[in-house]
């Protein structure tokens, strides 16, 4: 393949990436943490930790647990707040050479809209990714991402204020029919979708008869969820007409190709960043050889080319 | 602080300490030296078998016990899945390692310094006493459960004045706590206290330090996934220096009770803001 470059052509706006390898929100800090371990500029882009309008302390400890081929987290969206991010972190990122995608967390459509307004004004932000796996305080705390009506409304609220930034809506797998939510987000104006967020799960300490997380339940990530993520990408990419970004358990360049084969246009590397802080950089470096090995000559012909018959 | 690096290190030796009596639960592991710019006592390193760890995704944090021209040394207790596997590592096993991570223990050349160690918490003090420019200013009180040869104590005793206290039965603990109380009081006026060990031990040290206004650093152990500040899984509640505090000018309407906009203590990552915290700035509960 001559170039790894890929363009995600959204409904209204596109995202041009030098390669399809992104990092997943909450697993790559604000990007700065990884500077000692690789050149950020070789990445297709980074998605930073979920940002809210005000700083959040997150949930009580313990809030991570290691599980077979995976991990649970209930961080509770601890973050420095959008203002501190824009002031203290973003200027330190090489945003001219690296698409920096902001991940939005809020608990009402109004707040989502406000966040989008703040971020849309920022030249160094390449796109907005909307985390809809969060509770809507105005609707009894039920999750935006579990109700097609609320998912569409929150997409529209962000879209309305996002200016010329592509809007990516990040889907939750904790639903009966992910395609229904995907279509609702598309109808709400999403430029692209990303899937999946973590799967709801729990782990217990048998001897102590206690849950391993203070919040009892948390989100499962890592290779354990890759089959679920692949299934979701496969289904969603066939249900909508906008690009899909695959997330869930990708650990190596082969995994990236598997997601693209299933229909993804790009892939986010998440929990793998914890296993080795250069994981995402390494995947980018390995990509050309793996493309050659599997005889992939263009993204467009390879994407979604899974032979099912 | 030296920049952390990621490197592949080779296990050169894993030596059980203390022998059969202790059911070989304590080990010194020697590794090839990472090509780093150096490290400071109190810092730690993340270790994970290269190429995967039987379905375990995280590296594990270990205090850097010592490093010389050729070797990096880690002292560990086999107490769970990863550390039990580490005890079995053959010479030649390759590990992914990233570090040095975290902050260093305070070094004040001319200040009388009391080192308080509990069990495997002795690890960072091995390097500390060897690197300290005036070891005659150091005194150690070491509390332990297993026989003394299980721990790298002798090497410390050859450098500084060090006393070991074994907890064999319930009453021994009481005695050790009294000793801690006494010692911390003695060092409170002009000294420095450094403590590393299990959380109940650190809680006791913190209580006495606050009581006597002793300047004390506590080396915390929390579960870690990344070791580099990215996952936010290792946080403790700590009072930050003003410039590091999140912005307080956020609109109050968005600040729920207990949120950063209102709280005085904040969740900070043990791996990058610690693992060594001043006792009067951190909440252990
Ligand atoms: C900065 C730092 C420095 C450390 N230095 C050393 C050292 O020099 N030598 C040493 O032996 N250990 C050290 N530890 C603790 C060491 O990281 C844990 O013992 C190790 O991660 C356990 O892994 P495991 O898979 O064997 O245990 P698991 O199977 O994960 O757990 C076994 C038991 O250990 C407890 N545990 C797991 N992780 C930790 C942790 N990070 N802190 C406290 N308890 C834990 C669990 O709750 C459980 O009870 C340090 C920890 C930190 C954060
Ligand atoms: C510790 C941790 C924190 C996360 N924080 C966020 C977040 O702030 N916003 C978000 O949209 N997703 C968050 N996620 C979900 C990841 O971005 C990703 O969707 C999920 O982990 C699945 O991918 P993986 O298996 O490659 O990790 C987080 C995941 C982990 C493990
Ligand atoms: S271990 Fe990940 S933030 Fe500290």
């Amino acid at each position: 393949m001559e170039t790894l470059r890929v363009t995600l052509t959204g409904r209204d706006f596109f995202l041009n990436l030098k390669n399809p390898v992104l990092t997943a929100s909450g697993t790559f800090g604000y990007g700065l943490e990884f500077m000692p371990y690789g050149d950020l500029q070789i990445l297709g882009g980074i998605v930073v930790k979920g940002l809210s309008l005000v700083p959040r302390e997150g949930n009580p400890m313990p809030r991570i647990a290691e599980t077979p081929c995976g991990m649970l987290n209930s961080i509770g969206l601890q973050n420095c707040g959008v203002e501190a991010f824009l002031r203290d972190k973003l200027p330190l990122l090489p945003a001219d050479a690296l698409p920096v995608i902001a991940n939005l967390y809020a608990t009402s459509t109004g707040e989502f809209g406000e966040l989008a307004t703040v971020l849309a004004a920022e030249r160094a932000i390449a796109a907005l990714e909307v985390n809809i796996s969060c509770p809507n305080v105005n609707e009894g705390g039920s999750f935006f991402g579990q109700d097609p009506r609320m998912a569409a409304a929150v997409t529209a609220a962000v879209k309305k204020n996002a200016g010329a930034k592509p809007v990516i809506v990040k889907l939750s797998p904790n639903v009966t029919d992910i395609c229904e939510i995907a279509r609702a987000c598309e109808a709400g104006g999403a430029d692209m979708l990303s899937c999946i967020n973590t799967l709801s799960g729990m782990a217990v300490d048998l001897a102590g008869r206690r849950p391993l997380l203070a919040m009892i339940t948390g989100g499962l990530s890592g290779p354990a969820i890759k089959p679920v993520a692949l299934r979701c990408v496969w289904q969603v990419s066939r249900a909508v007409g906008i690009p899909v970004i695959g997330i869930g358990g990708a650990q190596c360049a082969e995994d990236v190709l598997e997601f693209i084969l299933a229909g993804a246009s790009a892939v986010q590397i998440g929990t793998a960043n914890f296993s080795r802080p250069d994981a995402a950089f390494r995947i980018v470096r390995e990509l050309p050889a793996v493309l050659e090995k599997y005889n992939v000559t263009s993204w467009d012909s390879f994407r979604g080319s899974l032979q099912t018959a | 602080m030296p920049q952390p690096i990621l490197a592949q290190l080779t296990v050169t030796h894993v030596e059980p300490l203390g022998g059969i009596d202790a059911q070989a639960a304590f080990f010194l592991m020697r590794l090839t030296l990472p090509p780093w710019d150096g490290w400071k006592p109190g810092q730690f390193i993340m270790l994970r078998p290269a190429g995967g760890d039987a379905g375990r995704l995280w590296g594990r944090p270990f205090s850097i016990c010592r490093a010389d021209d050729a070797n990096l040394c880690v002292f560990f207790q086999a107490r769970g899945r990863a550390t039990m596997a580490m005890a079995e590592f053959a010479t030649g096993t390759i590990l992914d390692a990233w570090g040095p991570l975290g902050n260093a223990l305070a070094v004040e050349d001319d200040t009388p310094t009391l080192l308080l160690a509990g069990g495997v918490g002795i690890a960072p003090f091995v390097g500390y006493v060897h690197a300290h420019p005036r070891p005659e200013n150091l005194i150690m009180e070491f509390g332990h459960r297993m026989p003394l040869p299980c721990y790298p104590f002798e090497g410390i005793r050859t450098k500084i004045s060090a006393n070991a206290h074994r907890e064999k039965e319930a009453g021994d603990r009481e005695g050790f706590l009294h000793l801690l109380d006494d010692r911390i009081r003695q060092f409170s006026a002009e000294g420095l206290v450094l403590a590393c060990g299990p959380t109940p031990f650190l809680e006791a040290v913190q209580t006495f330090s606050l009581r006597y206004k002793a300047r004390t650093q506590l080396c915390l152990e929390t579960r870690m996934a990344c070791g580099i500040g990215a996952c936010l899984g290792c946080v403790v509640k700590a009072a930050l220096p003003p410039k590091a505090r999140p912005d307080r000018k956020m609109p109050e309407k968005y600040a729920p009770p207990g949120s950063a906009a209102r709280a005085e203590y904040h969740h900070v990552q043990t791996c990058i803001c610690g693992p060594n915290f001043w006792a009067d700035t951190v909440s252990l509960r």
Side-chain angles (χ1 to χ4, degrees):
Chain A
M1 205 146 108
E2 262 172 33
T3 166
L4 298 178
R5 201 161 269 289
V6 57
T7 302
L8 279 64
T9 309
R11 199 186 77 147
D12 301 316
F13 304 109
F14 62 87
L15 194 56
N16 210 333
L17 308 176
K18 59 175 92 67
N19 63 64
V21 180
L22 306 162
T23 58
S25 180
T27 66
F28 209 66
Y30 299 106
L32 305 168
E33 295 83 350
F34 288 80
M35 280 180 166
Y37 307 101
D39 176 5
L40 292 177
Q41 300 184 30
I42 73 167
L43 301 174
I46 64 171
V47 186
V48 298
K49 176 70 193 167
L51 295 166
S52 46
L53 274 173
V54 292
R56 285 175 56 93
E57 287 291 302
N59 288 328
M61 289 284 282
R63 54 193 197 180
I64 52 172
E66 205 181 31
T67 58
C69 299
M71 67 173 280
L72 287 166
N73 89 82
S74 60
I75 304 300
L77 275 298
Q78 178 177 347
N79 77 98
C80 64
V82 68
E83 194 174 303
F85 168 72
L86 296 178
R87 187 190 57 220
D88 303 335
K89 317 272 186 196
L90 188 59
L92 304 179
L93 288 168
D96 284 337
L98 171 78
V100 176
I101 300 172
N103 179 280
L104 285 67
Y105 175 88
T107 52
S108 69
T109 36
E111 218 178 304
F112 264 118
E114 261 185 76
L115 250 184
T117 308
V118 176
L119 289 161
E122 204 58 45
R123 197 184 59 84
I125 297 286
L128 310 184
E129 183 181 62
V130 189
N131 177 2
I132 59 171
S133 303
C134 41
N136 182 350
V137 292
N138 294 333
E139 302 227 6
S142 50
F143 293 89
F144 286 103
Q146 292 182 341
D147 176 324
R149 186 183 48 83
M150 289 201 297
V154 74
T155 305
V158 172
K159 188 69 191 168
K160 186 163 154 250
N161 296 294
K165 310 279 188 208
V167 171
I168 307 163
V169 180
K170 181 165 176 178
L171 305 179
S172 165
N174 304 317
V175 294
T176 313
D177 180 4
I178 195 167
C179 293
E180 188 190 8
I181 310 287
R183 282 189 287 261
C185 295
E186 185 181 33
D191 287 294
M192 304 158 199
L193 301 174
S194 57
C195 65
I196 55 177
N197 212 315
T198 53
L199 276 158
S200 179
M202 73 186 266
V204 298
D205 165 15
L206 181 57
R209 301 195 185 188
R210 299 187 61 81
L212 286 184
L213 298 177
M215 299 299 288
I216 305 174
T217 63
L220 184 66
S221 64
I225 71 165
K226 198 183 87 175
V228 180
L230 273 174
R231 184 267 296 171
C232 291
V233 165
W234 167 248
Q235 291 179 333
V236 169
S237 63
R238 290 153 59 93
V240 297
I242 50 179
V244 175
I245 300 170
I247 323 169
Q251 285 199 300
C252 58
E254 277 89 348
D255 290 345
V256 169
L257 291 199
E258 288 184 18
F259 274 103
I260 296 176
L261 180 62
S265 297
V267 178
Q268 294 181 11
I269 311 302
T271 302
N273 295 307
F274 302 155
S275 298
R276 240 182 90 122
D278 71 341
F281 307 103
R282 202 152 79 140
I283 289 172
V284 170
R285 286 196 301 269
E286 284 171 356
L287 207 49
V290 175
L291 285 168
E292 195 162 311
K293 179 174 173 195
Y294 292 95
N295 204 14
V296 178
T297 51
S298 97
W299 291 128
D300 284 339
S301 61
F302 180 65
R303 184 181 316 112
S305 65
L306 191 70
Q307 293 169 20
T308 51
Chain B
M1 209 57 73
Q3 269 286 314
I5 60 162
L6 170 72
Q8 293 210 321
L9 309 183
T10 307
V11 175
T12 54
H13 193 57
V14 182
E15 176 192 351
L17 296 191
I20 305 154
D21 185 21
Q23 292 146 350
F26 296 84
F27 298 84
L28 267 179
M29 182 165 72
R30 264 178 247 286
L31 299 157
T32 48
L33 192 70
W36 57 22
D37 289 336
W39 62 286
K40 294 210 153 53
Q43 290 194 285
F44 69 97
I45 189 163
M46 295 290 286
L47 297 177
R48 182 169 185 265
D53 190 15
R56 289 181 289 267
L57 299 184
W58 303 340
R60 296 293 192 270
F62 295 95
S63 299
I64 300 166
C65 191
R66 267 199 91 173
D68 56 25
D69 294 343
N71 285 288
L72 167 71
C73 189
V74 163
F75 169 64
F76 70 92
Q77 178 180 10
R79 64 170 162 195
R81 295 156 300 165
T83 46
M84 301 242 198
M86 275 169 63
E88 305 283 317
F89 283 169
T91 300
T93 304
I94 313 271
L95 306 183
D96 289 332
W98 54 105
L101 302 167
N103 62 1
L105 285 162
V107 179
E108 298 176 4
D109 301 8
D110 300 320
T111 308
T113 303
L114 173 65
L115 310 180
L116 300 174
V120 278
I122 196 171
F125 293 129
V126 176
Y128 189 89
V129 303
H130 282 86
H132 200 281
R134 307 235 357 234
E136 67 274 19
N137 284 333
L138 305 180
I139 289 184
M140 172 180 273
E141 302 294 351
F142 175 48
H144 60 103
R145 285 214 177 107
M146 301 309 286
L148 201 52
C150 293
Y151 307 91
F153 181 72
E154 262 323 300
I156 291 180
R157 184 146 58 188
T158 59
K159 291 286 283 189
I160 67 165
S161 156
N163 311 304
H165 313 271
R166 185 165 178 194
E167 182 185 336
K168 272 184 168 158
E169 42 206 73
D172 296 342
R173 190 178 153 74
E174 205 58 19
F176 187 56
L177 287 176
H178 269 113
L179 175 90
L180 290 180
D181 182 323
D182 245 26
R183 282 308 219 169
I184 292 170
R185 186 170 42 74
Q186 289 162 9
F187 277 76
S188 61
E190 288 168 353
L192 171 68
V193 181
L194 308 175
C196 186
T199 306
F201 164 83
L202 294 181
E203 279 174 359
V205 171
Q206 187 183 41
T207 304
F208 302 139
S209 298
L210 297 182
R211 182 180 301 160
Y212 302 119
K213 297 197 167 46
R215 285 192 313 124
T216 298
Q217 275 192 335
L218 307 174
C219 177
L220 304 195
E221 273 193 14
T222 56
R223 191 163 303 175
M224 293 183 177
C226 69
I228 62 170
C231 72
L232 296 167
C234 68
V235 299
V236 287
K237 287 205 188 83
L240 296 178
K243 85 174 180 7
R245 283 191 189 139
D247 202 318
R248 278 144 183 277
K249 295 193 302 279
M250 287 294 164
E252 277 284 301
K253 65 170 176 166
Y254 289 124
S259 79
R262 289 184 179 164
E264 200 168 315
Y265 274 58
H266 299 281
H267 273 153
V268 302
Q269 299 101 313
T270 303
C271 61
I272 52 171
C273 301
N276 307 294
F277 289 91
W278 291 103
D280 58 349
T281 66
V282 65
S283 157
L284 297 180
R285 285 159 210 276

